[in-house]
Amino acid sequence: MAQQYFDSKLKIFSLNSNHPLAEKIAKTVGVPLGKTAVDRFSDGEIRINIEESIRGDNIFIIQSTSSPVNDNLMELLIMVDALRRASAGTITVVMPYYGYARQDRKARSREPITAKLVANMLETAGVDRAVMMDLHAAQIQGFFNIPVDHLMAAPLLADHFLKMGFDKDTVVVSPDHGGVSRARALAEFLKDPIAIIDKRRPEANVAEIMNIIGDVRGKRCLMIDDMIDTGGTITLGAQALVDAGATEVYACCTHPVLSGPAIQRIEDSPIKNLVVTDTIKLSKEKQIDKIQQISVGPLIGDAIKRINENKPVSVLFKTRFRGANGVD
């Protein structure tokens, strides 16, 4: 049972994207969720009312900008505006999942950099600090002119897999070159070697496996990615590992977007178990036997307490994270 947090000026509010995660975060911190009403006008416009005084308080808003992305983003912007006009002391946006993160550069002519646009919108609305989990591209931190705390799920995932005995005869696999640093971070916790799947992507949400860099024959493979969207990359990679002689294939990711054919692809793939976190709320149809969800609530809760006390957050990522209620 979490104890009441001593700082009465700290308040946590939840919007609609992931209320169960917000409750776990608030429980870890030891404060009740703030009272707010989020509803809509008849034409679909979002209306927000904060139902308690927040004058001079340090406010943390929990909101993943997952599907429906635009609705959740507008909820967040409107909430920030309401807090600023109600004289909040500081406003920290906690975005476990940062939508539009994949649009972080101009890959082709005349494309927008929407991840930067979202950062601009948040700052203009009045955000003082942002907290995020496993950004798709680390450079997104530089899109902000305010402090950004970038949390990582690797210590939490490592603790889970070490309990399952993944420190022996296991190879941690990155599904592409861009995820090597993520795979290496997990491999260092597990004391395992890494391998890399060399792929090319001819168009969005389409991946073709080229070859595997590293020895996976006779090994149990653990694939790691920041997000799984349609499931094409992770399932093609799993099949390639089996074809290369891997004995078993497991997978994990921080953000279970799981759109379109993802669930069916995972069901049909050689992946034995997919471990995801709860940065995105899983709907009923996505809660299949192959998918196991662990909570980042205690990790984010501990980060909020450290931020509020002006303590460093980096210590949370130097060892395995074994906070209370870390696994559902």
Side-chain angles (χ1 to χ4, degrees):
M1 187 77 177
Q3 295 182 343
Q4 186 72 21
Y5 193 55
F6 67 88
D7 189 348
S8 61
K9 302 297 284 183
L10 185 154
K11 291 183 179 177
I12 298 175
F13 286 87
S14 172
L15 296 176
N16 285 332
S17 71
N18 199 336
H19 198 73
L21 174 58
E23 289 178 337
K24 292 172 184 174
I25 293 169
K27 181 179 178 181
T28 298
V29 175
V31 299
L33 284 176
K35 297 175 182 177
T36 185
V38 183
D39 55 18
R40 292 175 183 269
F41 290 100
S42 58
D43 64 352
E45 290 181 2
I46 297 166
R47 177 172 59 184
I48 289 179
N49 183 50
I50 301 165
E51 299 179 331
E52 61 183 274
S53 173
I54 50 90
R55 185 176 296 271
D57 291 339
N58 299 323
I59 306 298
F60 290 79
I61 317 166
I62 314 298
Q63 178 81 330
S64 282
T65 48
S66 49
S67 180
V69 181
N70 297 330
D71 286 356
N72 287 333
L73 179 58
M74 279 305 299
E75 271 188 18
L76 181 56
L77 293 168
I78 293 167
M79 180 66 171
V80 171
D81 186 71
L83 290 166
R84 181 60 67 204
R85 294 177 188 277
S87 301
T90 62
I91 301 172
T92 300
V93 165
V94 180
M95 302 173 72
Y97 173 70
Y98 186 87
Y100 287 109
R102 284 173 285 185
Q103 298 183 46
D104 64 312
R105 67 194 187 284
K106 287 185 68 173
R108 294 181 297 181
S109 300
R110 298 175 295 281
E111 278 191 338
I113 304 178
T114 318
K116 169 61 174 168
L117 173 63
V118 171
N120 291 345
M121 292 165 69
L122 289 167
E123 287 188 47
T124 300
V127 174
D128 296 301
R129 177 185 289 270
V131 179
M132 298 159 193
M133 288 283 308
D134 281 332
L135 287 166
H136 184 66
Q139 68 263 25
I140 291 173
Q141 295 174 83
F143 292 175
F144 289 83
N145 294 314
I146 57 175
V148 175
D149 289 294
H150 186 198
L151 310 184
M152 295 175 289
L156 185 65
L157 292 168
D159 186 58
H160 174 80
F161 285 111
L162 281 168
K163 288 174 181 175
M164 294 175 62
F166 274 65
D167 55 339
K168 298 174 182 176
D169 297 320
T170 302
V171 177
V172 177
V173 182
S174 173
D176 52 37
H177 291 279
V180 172
S181 60
R182 190 176 303 110
R184 185 171 287 118
L186 181 60
E188 285 176 359
F189 281 114
L190 301 180
K191 302 292 189 291
D192 289 327
I194 71 168
I196 305 165
I197 295 176
D198 180 27
K199 72 171 188 185
R200 68 182 183 93
R201 189 184 292 276
E203 58 185 272
N205 291 326
V206 177
E208 292 181 4
I209 301 301
M210 301 297 286
N211 51 63
I212 296 169
I213 303 168
D215 182 19
V216 299
R217 183 169 297 279
K219 302 287 186 180
R220 173 174 52 188
C221 290
L222 173 58
M223 302 179 71
I224 181 170
D225 212 342
D226 64 318
M227 71 171 72
I228 297 176
D229 187 356
T230 61
T233 296
I234 209 81
T235 54
L236 280 173
Q239 188 59 56
L241 291 170
V242 170
D243 293 344
T247 56
E248 293 180 322
V249 178
Y250 293 77
C252 62
C253 76
T254 306
H255 310 300
V257 179
L258 302 178
S259 61
I263 294 299
Q264 191 60 52
R265 284 175 171 175
I266 292 164
E267 285 274 35
D268 297 340
S269 76
I271 295 172
K272 293 197 68 174
N273 181 230
L274 170 62
V275 177
V276 303
T277 79
D278 58 352
T279 59
I280 297 174
K281 184 180 177 182
L282 285 185
S283 57
K284 268 273 175 55
E285 63 271 15
K286 295 178 182 179
Q287 296 175 22
I288 61 174
D289 290 342
K290 271 193 177 185
I291 296 178
Q292 180 180 3
Q293 195 168 38
I294 63 176
S295 182
V296 296
L299 177 60
I300 294 176
D302 279 5
I304 286 175
K305 286 194 286 187
R306 298 190 74 85
I307 291 166
N308 192 59
E309 296 165 5
N310 293 315
K311 293 180 178 178
V313 175
S314 59
V315 296
L316 297 174
F317 313 114
K318 293 177 180 177
T319 58
R320 292 163 57 192
F321 184 81
R322 286 167 281 190
N325 303 316
V327 179
D328 281 345

